[in-house]
Amino acid sequence: MARCGCGGGQCNCAIAAGENVTLSGSGSVANPYVVSATLGCEDVRPCLSGTSGVDYNPAPGVISADLSGQAGNNRTLGSDGGLFVPTGSATVSVGRGLTGNGSGANAVKVSTGSWPYACSADTNGGVVVCDSNGRLRSEPRGKITYQQFFDSRDYPDITVPAAQNTVADTFSMPVTNTDPCRDAFVLVEREADVYFVLPAGAGAGAGYAGDEMYYLRNSGTSSIVGAHTQPPRCWPTRDCSRRVRARLSGSR
């Protein structure tokens, strides 16, 4: 390496072998001396180093990317010398309903089955949502509640009304919807014991809410005592409130 010192109008330079040093200028204020030296590569290489993803070989002076040898690394050098991750080399661990390896040709996706119904999944399929903890959730489970209501009433003997479908008595019962997500669909079944005393030539019928379900006529010459029926009846009803009241009526 050339080392030069100038003073008193003179310059002294120490020149190493292989260095090319030139001196120009007259040394005046307007035209000072200029020393130029061409250094060899071996003089520069000791100043360079490689780190953090850069590999440096000082012998040939080559600087290159430092590719990790850790297992699972898919980055490589392409045919043009640039960094390259080949399509299909990306890998992820999947399971529990996920498939794919994360590559462009095999993306990670949910493993699903085929829709087995004649209706369209677009309009009839359920929903899957992500909860506040990042877990997938399906629609809420359905709930079934069974409630019984017994109402025992004693009546004195009354004459069967002459007009058909005359209401003899009514009752009501509250039904609580235990599902916090859906409207209630209520099925109500009612049974009532009915006893008739029918003189000769008399007839009587019984039913619920104007629907006659039982009728008997005495066509004999003596009274029929204790003619009995216990007809059941089921009503489906729906209401948008959280409590559903089914108000039913029947004849006795």
Side-chain angles (χ1 to χ4, degrees):
M1 179 178 293
R3 295 180 176 85
C4 301
C6 298
Q10 295 182 347
C11 288
N12 298 315
C13 296
I15 303 174
E19 294 180 345
N20 184 13
V21 179
T22 60
L23 179 64
S24 62
S26 61
S28 64
V29 176
N31 188 19
Y33 293 116
V34 177
V35 178
S36 301
T38 302
L39 303 179
C41 294
E42 65 276 6
D43 296 317
V44 177
R45 289 172 184 170
C47 299
L48 303 178
S49 63
T51 184
S52 300
V54 176
D55 185 25
Y56 174 60
N57 188 344
V62 176
I63 299 175
S64 60
D66 183 12
L67 300 179
S68 174
Q70 184 174 334
N73 182 26
N74 295 299
R75 190 180 300 277
T76 185
L77 292 176
S79 59
D80 57 357
L83 296 177
F84 177 65
V85 178
T87 301
S89 294
T91 57
V92 295
S93 297
V94 296
R96 297 183 179 273
L98 295 178
T99 62
N101 62 12
S103 66
N106 191 11
V108 175
K109 58 184 178 181
V110 177
S111 178
T112 61
S114 58
W115 182 256
Y117 308 103
C119 59
S120 170
D122 294 343
T123 55
N124 296 278
V127 297
V128 177
V129 298
C130 189
D131 67 10
S132 59
N133 295 316
R135 299 179 61 186
L136 292 178
R137 299 285 187 177
S138 63
E139 291 186 300
R141 300 180 180 94
K143 294 180 178 293
I144 297 177
T145 302
Y146 178 74
Q147 297 178 222
Q148 288 183 305
F149 174 77
F150 297 96
D151 188 5
S152 179
R153 303 181 186 183
D154 295 326
Y155 301 93
D157 292 338
I158 58 175
T159 303
V160 174
Q164 190 178 18
N165 295 329
T166 300
V167 176
D169 203 352
T170 62
F171 80 94
S172 63
M173 62 174 292
V175 179
T176 301
N177 182 10
T178 60
D179 191 334
C181 303
R182 299 180 177 90
D183 298 337
F185 181 77
V186 181
L187 295 176
V188 178
E189 183 182 10
R190 178 185 176 185
E191 294 183 5
D193 288 327
V194 181
Y195 294 87
F196 289 123
V197 176
L198 299 176
Y208 302 104
D211 182 11
E212 186 175 82
M213 303 180 65
Y214 174 79
Y215 178 80
L216 177 64
R217 183 174 183 81
N218 183 4
S219 60
T221 58
S222 61
S223 295
I224 298 177
V225 179
H228 172 251
T229 181
Q230 188 175 342
R233 174 69 187 273
C234 184
W235 283 270
T237 183
R238 190 182 186 99
D239 189 85
C240 293
S241 64
R242 288 292 175 253
R243 290 181 62 85
V244 182
R245 292 184 63 84
R247 188 169 186 83
L248 312 174
S249 63
S251 301
R252 187 177 188 280

